[in-house]
């Protein structure tokens, strides 16, 4: 029963939400890109670049929210590069995305090593602190689990609502969804397919980078190599699990966060009998199983991965 008791503790759910937060940003970013018909496999590198840029900006003296903005702008620049290669030029989205991942990751590590050549341990910054919301933080169970998170986590929740509202309640959202399903119809309405797809990739990449910034500015207080640890690839899988819907994206991120938090606590229960790698693989095994179960029934954006050229039929 101790295995089940873990699920009914506030600390467990607080950790699950904290682990899910960067994934929420990443899934929303991937969702926006793919809704417009562009697969962005640069997400892993954009996560890394956002983590490094936001942290370094704060380390150099700016405030935390300016650091978040710097991270978002960094992600937007890499998104613009990816869009420039794949939207008007029609180059392979797979190859371009992997190239962006390699470029962004390598450039981030290069800048870090160039700026701090003699540092053996990464410098620390003052990260976002958990909010103490009067009354709400004192609610049994729910208070410590939900209302003691940082402002960065609340921003992630807000972005879910904002993205859902834009996609399903505004003309811009309708145009983004249409350009990912039938770009010819969008062009026939006099709208620019290139501009819509490019804007979606830039905005989505900015959100991805904010997910990386959460790691260095809220979850931790420093930047170190390998800290992204495959989160970007998990976001790609969770996007399919979510069927390209923001609400389900939030659910998928929270489920993965819960599995990850659970495996850490499970190690303390039976870690003496099983190798630690068995527990580390559990959240990723969940992602694979969820992807297999949902992928066949998912309604893909019909123009996803399909290059479009004006005037071509």
């Amino acid at each position: 029963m101790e295995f089940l008791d873990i699920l009914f503790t506030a600390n467990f759910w607080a950790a699950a939400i904290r682990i899910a937060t960067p994934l929420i940003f990443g899934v929303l970013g991937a969702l926006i890109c793919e809704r417009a018909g562009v697969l962005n496999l640069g997400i892993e590198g954009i996560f890394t670049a956002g983590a490094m840029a936001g942290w370094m900006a704060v380390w150099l003296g700016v405030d935390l929210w300016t650091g978040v903005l710097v991270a978002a702008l960094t992600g937007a620049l890499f998104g613009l590069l990816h869009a420039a290669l794949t939207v008007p030029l029609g180059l392979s989205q797979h190859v371009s995305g992997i190239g962006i991942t390699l470029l962004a990751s390598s450039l981030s590590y290069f800048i870090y090593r160039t700026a701090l050549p003699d540092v053996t341990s990464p410098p620390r910054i003052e990260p976002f602190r958990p909010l103490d919301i009067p009354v709400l933080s004192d609610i049994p169970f729910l208070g410590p689990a939900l209302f003691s998170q940082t402002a960065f986590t609340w921003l992630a929740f807000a972005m879910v609502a904002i993205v859902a509202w834009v996609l399903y309640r505004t003309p811009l959202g309708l145009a983004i969804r249409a350009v990912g399903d039938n770009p010819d119809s969008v062009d026939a309405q006099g709208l620019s397919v290139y501009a819509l797809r490019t804007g979606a990739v830039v905005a989505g990449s900015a959100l991805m980078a904010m997910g990386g910034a959460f790691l260095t500015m809220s979850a931790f207080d420093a930047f170190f190599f390998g800290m992204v640890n495959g989160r970007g690839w998990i976001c790609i899988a969770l996007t399919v699990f979510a069927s390209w819907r923001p609400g389900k994206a939030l659910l998928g991120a929270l489920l993965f966060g819960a599995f990850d938090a659970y495996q850490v606590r499970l190690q303390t229960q039976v870690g003496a009998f099983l190798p630690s790698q068995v527990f580390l693989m559990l959240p990723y095994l969940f992602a694979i199983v969820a992807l297999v179960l949902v992928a066949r029934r998912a309604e893909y954006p019909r123009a996803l991965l399909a290059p479009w050229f004006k005037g071509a039929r």
Side-chain angles (χ1 to χ4, degrees):
M1 291 299 294
E2 292 182 358
F3 301 151
L4 294 178
D5 291 341
I6 295 174
L7 300 176
F8 299 98
T9 62
N11 288 338
F12 165 76
W13 287 106
I17 293 171
R18 189 165 56 250
I19 293 169
T21 299
L23 301 179
I24 294 171
F25 283 111
V27 176
L28 289 176
L31 183 152
I32 292 172
C33 293
E34 294 182 27
R35 271 291 189 178
V38 180
L39 177 67
N40 190 351
L41 294 182
I43 183 171
E44 186 79 1
I46 292 172
F47 254 78
T48 303
M52 193 282 297
W55 165 82
M56 182 160 285
V58 175
W59 180 68
L60 291 173
V62 307
D63 62 88
L64 288 170
W65 287 114
T66 303
V68 174
L69 178 61
V70 170
L73 291 175
T74 300
L77 287 175
F78 282 109
L80 182 61
L81 176 59
H82 181 56
L85 295 172
T86 58
V87 177
L89 298 180
L91 301 181
S92 170
Q93 296 176 14
H94 295 94
V95 174
S96 174
I98 292 173
I100 293 295
T101 282
L102 295 174
L103 173 64
S105 299
S106 300
L107 188 60
S108 298
Y109 297 151
F110 173 77
I111 292 173
Y112 175 85
R113 282 302 184 195
T114 301
L116 302 166
D118 301 320
V119 171
T120 55
S121 60
R124 307 289 175 175
I125 63 170
E126 186 68 25
F128 284 95
R129 294 298 181 186
L131 298 176
D132 185 14
I133 304 176
V135 180
L136 295 179
S137 296
D138 298 327
I139 299 174
F141 187 85
L142 192 61
L146 182 60
F147 295 110
S148 296
Q149 301 290 336
T150 68
F152 215 152
T153 295
W154 286 104
L155 176 61
F157 291 149
M159 290 309 303
V160 175
I162 292 171
V163 170
W165 177 76
V166 170
L167 284 178
Y168 296 105
R169 293 290 186 269
T170 67
L172 175 61
L174 177 61
I176 290 173
R177 289 184 287 126
V179 84
D181 282 324
N182 190 346
D184 288 329
S185 67
V186 174
D187 182 60
Q189 294 296 319
L191 300 176
S192 173
V193 173
Y194 294 151
L196 285 167
R197 285 188 167 181
T198 299
V201 174
V202 169
S205 299
L207 284 174
M208 295 172 185
M210 290 170 65
F214 176 87
L215 298 176
T216 51
M217 298 170 61
S218 187
F220 306 107
D221 56 4
F223 174 79
F224 50 89
F225 297 163
M227 69 183 311
V228 174
N229 195 29
R231 287 178 174 85
W233 309 125
I234 289 297
C235 289
I236 296 295
L238 290 178
T239 303
V240 180
F241 171 80
S243 301
W244 294 270
R245 295 182 178 276
K248 292 182 68 176
L250 173 62
L251 175 62
L254 290 174
L255 284 174
F256 185 89
F259 268 84
D260 203 359
Y262 189 71
Q263 65 87 11
V264 172
R265 286 153 179 76
L266 201 59
Q267 286 188 50
T268 63
Q269 301 288 340
V270 294
F273 306 100
L274 292 172
S276 60
Q277 289 80 4
V278 173
F279 302 100
L280 292 173
M281 77 176 185
L282 289 179
Y284 300 92
L285 182 62
F286 154 74
I288 293 172
V289 171
L291 190 60
V292 170
L293 293 177
V294 174
R296 291 187 177 182
R297 295 183 285 107
E299 295 182 3
Y300 291 76
R302 288 174 292 177
L304 180 62
L305 292 171
W308 182 89
F309 300 101
K310 188 174 180 63
R313 291 290 186 270

